[in-house]
Amino acid sequence: MSIVVQKYGGSSVADAARMKQVADRVMRTRAEGHDVVVVVSAMGDTTDDLLGLAKQVSANPDRRELDMLLTAGERISMALLSMAIRELGGDAISFTGSQSGIITNDRHVDARIIEVRPYRVQDELARGKIVVIAGYQGVSYRREVTTLGRGGSDTTAVAMAAALGAEYCEICSDVDGVYTADPRVVPQATRIGTLSYEETQELAESGAKVLNAQAVEFAKEKGIAIYARATHSPLPGADPSADGTVVRRHPPRTPGTVVGVASERDVLVLDARADRSADGNRSAKAFALQDVLELLDEHHVAGKQLHVNDDRLTLVVSRENLHEEARVRAALDARFGPAARIRDTLGALSVVGAGINASFENVRRGSAALAASGMPVESIATSSFRITWMIDRTRLDDGVRLLHQTFIEAQRVLVP
Ligand code: ADP
Ligand code: ASP
Ligand code: MG
């Protein structure tokens, strides 16, 4: 029998009624003759609520204790879903991340999976069971419970699919696939039938929440096809790109075409100026910049878009997995004083597509559109798949609509 891994996000298991609908979908998959492994997220906003509780007792919650707390969310879901499946006559068994063999490094709060030893899962499948796994969690080689960073249940599902040699990995959510922009922000956004791993990864890293970036990276590495679908949609048919999004190795579409627009609101921008005291001497400068990065590493701060220019360093820090912001700010202040400044007013606005930077045409078009709409740009960064403009955070949604109009809706008129 072929193995199918399905992941259900928080909104899909938000209450008992929805949990029962998921159980029914699992049973229908089983009835099609598949071995089924289900990965579940915490119910609704449980993870946010738990984080809120932690903040009430500690401004800088200990990372290990946070993991002990946050893993409880998915544990509730796995047990309830297993019960709901059993109620429908299915033979289900639930496992935590640790029990299902998800081995991670020891970086609490955003651990990375280093190995999957799915023996217990395989044993239970061989006994004919439906296996329900708590997403977003694992166990470190030090036997400590860890979590995989926000949105990490997707990663659990893909990693499990790879370890089990599953046919595909279904990521079921409240939206029926990956859209050209967040459909909550851009009503004109349309579902994308097929996407390459690279495009999807860039979209996810640019803030498109629908798929987790690390999960896509994993899928790419292992060659696992991801089917992003709505929980309420039918089971995948002969062409799963007809009513969902299929992410797989995919020949690039017309090079230079923007496939999607994304934004990330919850970022900090760190500006640091190197110490020029040693009469501007280069090694003294390099050492001071190294100091900033070392401090960030000590506090497990993950940054992107690192830019070093002469004596200045700029770094964008995602707040998603930063739970000790107060401590990091205090440490930066104590060590560097006014030489290190954190700005809390900007957001990242990105367009994604293979080969979009082969010429400067797209950067010019986007920048011109933003300027014409009175949205000042703080900085621009590019990679081979992405252009990111840092703009005033309060204008981000307007920026997403504008760039969607400029790059995607205008294109539709040209290509009927
Ligand atoms: P889940 O709880 O199922 O993991 P998430 O909230 O993590 O779901 O992701 C789904 C949400 O992602 C959607 O409700 C949608 O608003 C948002 N989203 C952001 N960008 C996109 C996009 N490009 N395509 C589809 N959904 C997107
Ligand atoms: N419950 C976790 C979160 O909210 C993991 C997930 O949903 O994927 O981030
Ligand atoms: Mg998610």
Side-chain angles (χ1 to χ4, degrees), residues 273-288 311:
R273 204 172 285 275
D275 181 7
R276 271 189 176 275
S277 55
D279 56 347
N281 155 326
R282 284 221 153 259
S283 62
K285 277 194 286 181
F287 179 74
D311 63 344

Side-chain angles (χ1 to χ4, degrees), residues 7 151 154 209:
K7 175 257 171 176
D154 295 356
K209 253 181 80 190

Side-chain angles (χ1 to χ4, degrees), residues 65-95:
E65 301 310 327
L66 261 184
D67 277 350
M68 294 301 256
L69 177 72
L70 296 179
T71 46
E74 270 68 12
R75 198 171 172 134
I76 293 171
S77 295
M78 74 176 199
L80 288 173
L81 181 60
S82 186
M83 290 175 203
I85 293 170
R86 297 185 78 82
E87 196 59 31
L88 297 180
D91 193 3
I93 180 168
S94 66
F95 284 141

Side-chain angles (χ1 to χ4, degrees), residues 41-42 47 74 136 150-154:
S41 289
T47 307
E74 270 68 12
Y136 174 56
R150 297 305 307 267
S153 296
D154 295 356

Side-chain angles (χ1 to χ4, degrees), residues 7-13 41-42 44 150-154 171-185 189-192 195 203 207-212 229 231 245 260-263:
K7 175 257 171 176
Y8 294 95
S11 52
S12 304
V13 291
S41 289
R150 297 305 307 267
S153 296
D154 295 356
I171 305 283
C172 302
S173 184
D174 56 358
V175 59
D176 61 348
V178 181
Y179 276 60
T180 48
D182 186 341
R184 288 180 206 258
V185 177
T190 49
R191 186 174 47 76
I192 308 167
L195 269 172
L203 274 173
K209 253 181 80 190
V210 60
L211 287 174
N212 174 284
R229 306 176 65 75
T231 298
T245 297
V261 184
S263 68

Side-chain angles (χ1 to χ4, degrees), residues 43-56 69-70:
M43 297 171 74
D45 297 328
T46 301
T47 307
D48 287 330
D49 295 346
L50 292 173
L51 272 169
L53 268 176
K55 287 278 176 189
Q56 284 178 43
L69 177 72
L70 296 179

